[in-house]
């Protein structure tokens, strides 16, 4: 009998991983399904526009660290060709205010999507369409943001709504 455990910060993220396992996927399929789903259900903490790491141990006992963290845009260019644009944004934590610098100068080259796809090619069992199906469904129908995610998104409101695109996604009815 096959047993598995899934943990995540949102019930829908857990559901995505569980659905993939129930469809015959392996642990790597479930992790990738959860990663895609978390981009929808936990956007203050996870995104395909971010980076990450995956420590994989196969049934054969082979351990590999997959590094798909972000990279700095313009790396290798002369400094005079870089024109980063930063906008100060004050995030008000319970005990203190902290200024972060957001905008195009703070954007890194994402690694998550390439990392998820690479791990799937190497270690996944199910077709990619089946692995991402739960996240696609969540993106189409929506998800319930729990109290913790709501607080995080409220903290990051100025950053999430800095651009017209961000406002369209995170505050379609206004801030």
């Amino acid at each position: 009998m096959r047993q598995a455990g899934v943990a995540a910060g949102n019930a829908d993220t857990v559901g995505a991983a569980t659905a993939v396992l129930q469809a015959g996927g392996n642990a790597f399929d479930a992790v990738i399904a959860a990663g895609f789903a978390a981009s929808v259900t936990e956007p203050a903490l996870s995104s395909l526009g971010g980076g990450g790491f995956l420590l994989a141990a196969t049934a054969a006992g082979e351990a590999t660290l997959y590094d798909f963290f972000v990279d700095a845009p313009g790396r290798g260019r002369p400094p005079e060709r870089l024109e980063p644009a930063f906008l100060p944004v004050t995030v008000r934590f319970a005990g203190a205010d902290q200024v972060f610098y957001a905008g195009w100068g703070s954007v890194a080259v994402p690694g998550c999507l390439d990392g998820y796809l690479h791990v799937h090619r190497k270690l996944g069992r199910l077709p990619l369409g089946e692995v991402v199906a739960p996240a696609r469904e969540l993106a189409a129908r929506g998800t319930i943001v729990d109290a913790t995610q709501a607080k995080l998104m409220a903290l990051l409101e100025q950053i999430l709504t800095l651009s017209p695109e961000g406002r369209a996604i995170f505050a379609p009815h206004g801030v």
Side-chain angles (χ1 to χ4, degrees), residues 42 54 73 85 90 117 138 145 149 151 160:
E42 305 173 53
L54 181 120
T90 302
L117 297 176
L138 286 167
V145 177
Q149 285 293 319
K151 285 180 185 176
L160 296 173

Side-chain angles (χ1 to χ4, degrees), residues 104 158-168:
W104 290 114
Q158 289 185 58
I159 296 171
L160 296 173
T161 60
L162 192 61
S163 68
E165 296 83 3
R167 287 190 294 280

Side-chain angles (χ1 to χ4, degrees), residues 39 46-52 68-71 106-113 116:
S39 294
S46 181
S47 122
L48 295 178
F68 43 92
F69 202 66
V70 298
D71 201 356
S106 67
V107 175
V109 177
C112 271
L113 180 57
Y116 292 165

